[in-house]
């Protein structure tokens, strides 16, 4: 049975963060919220809901927030790190699905949430983008990962060195999959709900698409240099 700690990166999530923290605390004892320089009451609401809160003085990006949390948890007792967003798009009641997957497949190092089994509520552009990116990343990882853009994940502790990569923005979650796969770890998926409400996405389609293509080109180039062929 996993003994996880949870990291929740949050930026301007005052309306949602308390419910997310309360939901996670039903299943996970250690809940750490990284407030990424929010000008609102995100940190206050998270703390009132029972989370430990660390605040960045300024906004640094989702990847930076996750790495701050993971570095703190590195010295604590936890054999898995559960990560999820603070905007309510990830349902904490799906957490037992991750526990069951770990129990059934202990050789798997990373479990990614998979929202693609029910895409009716997913905005069409996001669906197409996700399917395209997931296909590209799966090919590069040489493992099928149906939803590489889902931030609801559980990482085994021995993947931690690869979770502290250089990327700080939304391409962080893609890069860690590439790194983890490159080092021979198994990646699998867990079915989670698809939830979209009135929250404002922090993703910038054009800018983040450019980052994605640059990241994929970089990994293709480094793989070609090592192996004489692209990933």
């Amino acid at each position: 049975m996993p003994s996880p700690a949870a990291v929740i990166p949050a930026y301007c999530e005052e309306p949602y963060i308390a419910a997310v923290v309360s939901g996670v605390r039903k299943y996970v004892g250690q809940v750490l919220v990284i407030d990424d320089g929010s000008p609102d009451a995100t940190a206050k609401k998270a703390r009132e809901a029972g989370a430990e809160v660390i605040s960045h003085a300024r906004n640094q990006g989702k990847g930076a927030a996750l790495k701050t949390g993971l570095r703190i948890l590195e010295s604590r007792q936890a054999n898995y790190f559960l990560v999820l967003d603070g905007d309510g798009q990830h349902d904490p009641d799906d957490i037992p699905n991750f526990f069951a997957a770990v129990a059934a497949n202990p050789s798997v190092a990373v479990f990614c949430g998979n929202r693609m089994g029910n895409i009716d509520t997913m905005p069409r552009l996001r669906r197409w983008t996700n399917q395209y990116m997931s296909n590209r990343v799966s090919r590069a990882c040489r493992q099928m990962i149906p939803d590489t853009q889902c931030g609801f994940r559980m990482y085994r502790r021995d993947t931690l060195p690869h979770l502290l990569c250089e990327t700080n923005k939304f391409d962080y979650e893609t890069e860690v999959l590439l790194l983890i796969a490159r080092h021979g770890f198994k990646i699998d998926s867990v079915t989670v709900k698809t939830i979209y409400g009135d929250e404002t996405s922090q993703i910038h389609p054009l800018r983040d698409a450019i980052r994605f293509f640059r990241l994929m080109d970089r990994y293709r180039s480094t793989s070609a240099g090592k192996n004489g062929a692209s990933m």
Side-chain angles (χ1 to χ4, degrees):
M1 184 70 180
S3 176
V7 181
I8 306 173
Y11 178 67
C12 294
E13 306 296 1
E14 179 182 347
Y16 317 104
I17 191 65
V20 173
V21 169
S22 296
V24 174
R25 291 185 69 228
K26 290 192 298 183
Y27 305 105
V28 180
Q30 297 184 68
V31 181
L32 178 61
V33 170
I34 307 301
D35 169 37
D36 192 27
S38 303
D40 64 3
T42 293
K44 178 176 180 289
K45 295 291 186 180
R47 196 172 286 112
E48 289 174 348
E52 178 183 357
V53 179
I54 302 295
S55 293
H56 287 169
R58 59 178 178 82
N59 181 255
Q60 298 179 40
K62 185 179 182 182
L66 284 168
K67 287 187 288 184
T68 293
L70 291 166
R71 289 189 181 102
I72 291 170
L73 293 177
E74 183 176 11
S75 62
R76 302 186 186 179
Q77 295 296 317
N79 57 8
Y80 283 86
F81 302 116
L82 180 76
V83 301
L84 69 160
D85 294 347
D87 61 2
Q89 285 195 22
H90 301 149
D91 186 350
D93 286 334
D94 283 329
I95 291 173
N97 297 344
F98 287 89
F99 295 168
V102 168
N105 302 282
S107 65
V108 175
V110 180
F111 290 94
C112 295
N114 177 17
R115 302 161 294 175
M116 304 308 287
N118 180 13
I119 57 177
D120 293 342
T121 60
M122 184 178 290
R124 185 173 300 176
L125 179 59
R126 188 172 296 192
R127 182 195 317 168
W128 291 341
T129 302
N130 193 357
Q131 289 171 333
Y132 173 79
M133 289 182 172
S134 295
N135 181 263
R136 285 284 307 273
V137 175
S138 293
R139 288 167 56 195
C141 290
R142 298 189 176 94
Q143 303 185 55
M144 177 53 65
I145 311 169
D147 190 357
T148 62
Q149 305 309 299
C150 183
F152 200 176
R153 299 178 179 179
M154 189 135 83
Y155 298 101
R156 201 170 62 200
R157 187 180 187 91
D158 55 348
T159 65
L160 184 60
H162 312 299
L163 301 180
L164 302 177
C165 60
E166 295 181 4
T167 303
N168 284 333
K169 304 298 182 181
F170 279 89
D171 45 346
Y172 167 85
E173 289 166 325
T174 298
E175 181 161 17
V176 296
L177 292 179
L178 294 166
L179 281 168
I180 286 167
R182 176 172 287 186
H183 285 83
F185 291 101
K186 293 182 180 179
I187 302 169
D188 207 341
S189 298
V190 171
T191 298
V192 298
K193 299 178 186 68
T194 307
I195 303 173
Y196 290 100
D198 59 354
E199 67 281 343
T200 301
S201 174
Q202 303 298 327
I203 295 174
H204 299 270
L206 179 59
R207 185 187 67 191
D208 291 320
I210 291 171
R211 284 194 180 119
F212 173 80
F213 287 117
R214 286 177 175 170
L215 177 66
M216 297 305 295
D217 285 344
R218 176 155 58 87
Y219 272 82
R220 183 168 60 244
S221 297
T222 55
S223 180
K226 289 180 179 179
N227 304 319
S230 63
M231 291 178 82

